[in-house]
Amino acid sequence: MTVRLAAGTRQQMLQHAYDCHPEEACGLLAGPVDGDVQRVFPTTNILHSSTNYTIDPKQHLAAIRAADQEGFEIVGVFHSHPHTVGYPSVTDVTLAPDPTWLYVLVGMEEYGSPTVRAFRISDGVITEEELEFEESMT
Ligand SMILES: [Zn+2]
């Protein structure tokens, strides 16, 4: 299945990844259920770690509320791997809370050319999803 992301979302995730580097950046993705990802909510990694992340619970709640006001739900999460490939780590798989969520990884193994990939993680099984980014009109 191809997942579509609204214009600007890729840039928002990359910007946050660079802003937080060398720590892992994280954030939430929102949109209609089973629809396009329409919103990116960059959040604080309260672990301030380069190998793990935990989303600030207050910001998580705020993102749920903001999404709800637009009729959206939180449909996934993104985080960066500041020094490694953008593929779910053992920790990512272990901690994956929801098999319906989209897990977007920003891989910064090569600092100047980051990758953005997306996965579903269900019962420890990783499935990569194809991403399609809408082009901005500007
Ligand atoms: Zn990770």
Side-chain angles (χ1 to χ4, degrees), residues 46-85:
I46 58 171
L47 297 181
H48 295 290
S49 159
S50 65
T51 52
N52 279 297
Y53 74 97
T54 296
I55 290 173
D56 182 305
K58 282 185 193 141
Q59 292 176 357
H60 192 147
L61 201 58
I64 291 172
R65 289 202 179 117
D68 189 53
Q69 282 185 345
E70 295 189 278
F72 297 154
E73 288 193 26
I74 302 299
V75 294
V77 61
F78 79 92
H79 74 284
S80 67
H81 284 173
H83 305 293
T84 55
V85 69

Side-chain angles (χ1 to χ4, degrees), residues 4-55:
R4 289 169 60 87
L5 290 94
T9 53
R10 185 175 192 276
Q11 189 53 41
Q12 257 186 300
M13 290 189 280
L14 289 176
Q15 186 63 52
H16 193 49
Y18 278 116
D19 287 348
C20 295
H21 198 278
E23 295 176 2
E24 282 198 9
C26 57
L28 292 161
L29 309 173
V33 174
D34 295 330
D36 301 350
V37 173
Q38 297 287 352
R39 296 280 177 269
V40 168
F41 298 104
T43 59
T44 302
N45 175 3
I46 58 171
L47 297 181
H48 295 290
S49 159
S50 65
T51 52
N52 279 297
Y53 74 97
T54 296
I55 290 173

Side-chain angles (χ1 to χ4, degrees), residues 51-128:
T51 52
N52 279 297
Y53 74 97
T54 296
I55 290 173
D56 182 305
K58 282 185 193 141
Q59 292 176 357
H60 192 147
L61 201 58
I64 291 172
R65 289 202 179 117
D68 189 53
Q69 282 185 345
E70 295 189 278
F72 297 154
E73 288 193 26
I74 302 299
V75 294
V77 61
F78 79 92
H79 74 284
S80 67
H81 284 173
H83 305 293
T84 55
V85 69
Y87 192 82
S89 66
V90 174
T91 308
D92 293 336
V93 172
T94 306
L95 297 180
D98 192 327
T100 69
W101 269 21
L102 191 67
Y103 292 86
V104 174
L105 263 294
V106 179
M108 305 178 83
E109 194 178 25
E110 289 180 65
Y111 186 78
S113 51
T115 60
V116 180
R117 296 167 70 185
F119 308 87
R120 307 252 180 216
I121 303 172
S122 179
D123 285 334
V125 179
I126 301 167
T127 310
E128 182 154 13

